[in-house]
Amino acid sequence: MRPFQYVRPADGDAAAAALAAPGAMPIGGGTDVVPLWRDGLATPASVVDVTLPGDDVTPEPDGGLSVRAGARLADLAVHPVLRARAAALALACDSVGSPALRAQGTLGGNLGQRPRCWYWRGGHACAKSGAEGCPAVAGDHRHHAIVEAGPCWAVHPSDPAVALMALEAVVHLQRTGGRRAVPLSQFFVLPSQDPTRETVVEPGEFITHLSLPAGTLGGEQTYEKVIQRGAWDFALVSLATVRRPDGDVRLVLGGIGPRPWRITDSIEEDVASGGLDDDSIDALAERALYDATPLPGTTYKVAQARALLVRAMRRLGGVAR
Ligand SMILES: Cc1cc2nc3c(=O)[nH]c(=O)nc-3n(C[C@H](O)[C@H](O)[C@H](O)COP(=O)(O)OP(=O)(O)OC[C@H]3O[C@@H](n4cnc5c(N)ncnc54)[C@H](O)[C@@H]3O)c2cc1C
């Protein structure tokens, strides 16, 4: 294993300057950086600690909220302002891995974590490692993607990202001499675009914070997750739901693709309109997964995703509402 330097900058400008050095990479809690380094999947010359000081959650002038990328998941899970106004995010943070991972892992690191595909992590040649093909297609793919897949079939493992997509979060990035803001809907890179990366974060850049627009905060919010084991596990399928104060509905599935999968506007609008009977709900859930392309070992994910959607649609748009 190649040794690396650990850099602890005092502020964002110093972090950006340190990240401009060749071979530098950001580190939050290190719960993924260290295994990647151990397994030879990351060979940093230096790691730059981007858990810069600051409040975890601050109000924005337009009524929205700003969430620090260096905030620990455990702190976000119990943060009173998030629990009151962005409950889907607090619940998603609370569902991540184990108490130790949540105490150490940060929100920025959770978005930047690499996929859990056992072939790629195990050093097999594949599209993600820069070679061709995906060994999971003919191999063990039971946790792999059913939407937006190929040439790599790995899913993005983040729970918080699913809630953040439903909350229409914006990711704020800093690098030497500049900052930019990217809507989370444009933050992920699909494997058809470039299978070797998962996000638009460039070398030298780091996430400073995420903003949650005022219009998506409050209302009714949930985050549900189907896992194989009783605890400490990645989502097979998950669902974030938001009924905004203006009545609009957001439905976002996780665990099924290389980015959180937002259900199309027209289905969300039908749910928001309400008065749906069971047949209509079944038809909408069927339509929501119409574009799914499961492999033989992942057809169960289509059924699980439909079941989560049906339950949510009954609650949000059923006749009894
Ligand atoms: C057993 C196990 C179970 C897990 N279960 C779940 C689960 O159920 N749900 C889930 O969502 N996750 C799960 N995880 C993943 C875990 O939550 C992540 O490892 C963690 O959130 C990463 O946070 P970190 O701060 O430690 O990231 P780090 O390891 O520090 O960084 C991860 C990546 O993000 C980059 N990065 C870090 N901070 C920034 C930043 N501010 N800007 C840009 N890039 C940055 C790093 O360069 C690196 O590439 C699990 C992990 C394990 C090992």
Side-chain angles (χ1 to χ4, degrees):
M1 291 185 287
R2 187 171 110 173
F4 58 79
Q5 194 191 0
Y6 172 74
V7 183
R8 176 132 215 198
D11 57 26
D13 289 344
L19 281 168
M25 78 184 282
I27 189 168
T31 62
D32 197 28
V33 167
V34 173
L36 290 169
W37 168 72
R38 179 198 61 204
D39 296 340
L41 294 165
T43 51
S46 60
V47 296
V48 179
D49 190 332
V50 289
T51 60
L52 303 167
D55 291 337
D56 286 347
V57 180
T58 45
E60 292 193 339
D62 66 352
L65 292 174
S66 171
V67 186
R68 190 171 69 93
R72 308 284 168 181
L73 299 171
D75 294 333
L76 296 179
V78 296
H79 197 287
V81 175
L82 285 193
R83 290 204 84 107
R85 301 188 64 202
L89 178 58
L91 292 168
C93 290
D94 201 31
S95 81
V96 169
S98 63
L101 280 164
R102 294 193 292 275
Q104 182 69 14
T106 63
L107 186 61
N110 186 272
L111 295 178
Q113 66 175 305
R114 306 297 310 273
R116 299 284 149 181
C117 173
W118 35 68
Y119 292 103
W120 176 69
R121 293 243 171 197
H124 291 257
C126 66
K128 187 157 287 302
S129 66
E132 291 207 347
C134 176
V137 172
D140 183 351
H141 51 246
R142 68 197 125 129
H143 290 177
H144 285 70
I146 60 170
V147 294
E148 300 189 306
C152 166
W153 288 71
V155 298
H156 199 283
S158 167
D159 287 300
V162 183
L164 288 166
M165 190 75 94
L167 292 167
E168 294 173 47
V170 176
V171 185
H172 295 265
L173 296 152
Q174 184 175 355
R175 63 185 307 154
T176 308
R179 292 170 185 264
R180 62 180 175 134
V182 181
L184 193 71
S185 55
Q186 294 164 30
F187 178 74
F188 295 96
V189 174
L190 294 179
S192 56
Q193 298 166 315
D194 181 354
T196 64
R197 63 194 296 198
E198 294 82 42
T199 73
V200 298
V201 180
E202 297 288 347
E205 268 187 325
F206 70 102
I207 305 170
T208 54
H209 64 285
L210 289 102
S211 48
L212 309 179
T216 65
L217 299 173
E220 294 171 48
Q221 303 187 16
T222 62
Y223 184 72
E224 293 181 279
K225 174 172 168 181
V226 179
I227 57 178
Q228 189 172 11
R229 304 188 303 187
W232 299 16
D233 211 352
F234 293 95
L236 298 173
V237 179
S238 66
L239 176 67
T241 70
V242 173
R243 176 188 283 282
R244 297 159 32 131
D246 65 6
D248 279 5
V249 166
R250 297 287 180 269
L251 299 167
V252 180
L253 287 163
I256 63 168
R259 63 176 169 179
W261 170 262
R262 183 167 160 199
I263 303 308
T264 52
D265 299 1
S266 64
I267 295 177
E268 289 175 340
E269 282 164 20
D270 285 349
V271 176
S273 302
L276 298 171
D277 61 20
D278 283 353
D279 287 345
S280 316
I281 287 173
D282 286 346
L284 285 178
E286 179 91 20
R287 209 171 95 210
L289 274 302
Y290 182 77
D291 289 332
T293 53
L295 296 165
T298 50
T299 49
Y300 78 93
K301 285 198 179 194
V302 180
Q304 284 182 342
R306 270 199 205 119
L308 285 180
L309 283 174
V310 164
R311 199 163 63 185
M313 288 175 180
R314 280 191 188 135
R315 179 170 45 81
L316 293 165
V319 276
R321 187 180 166 79

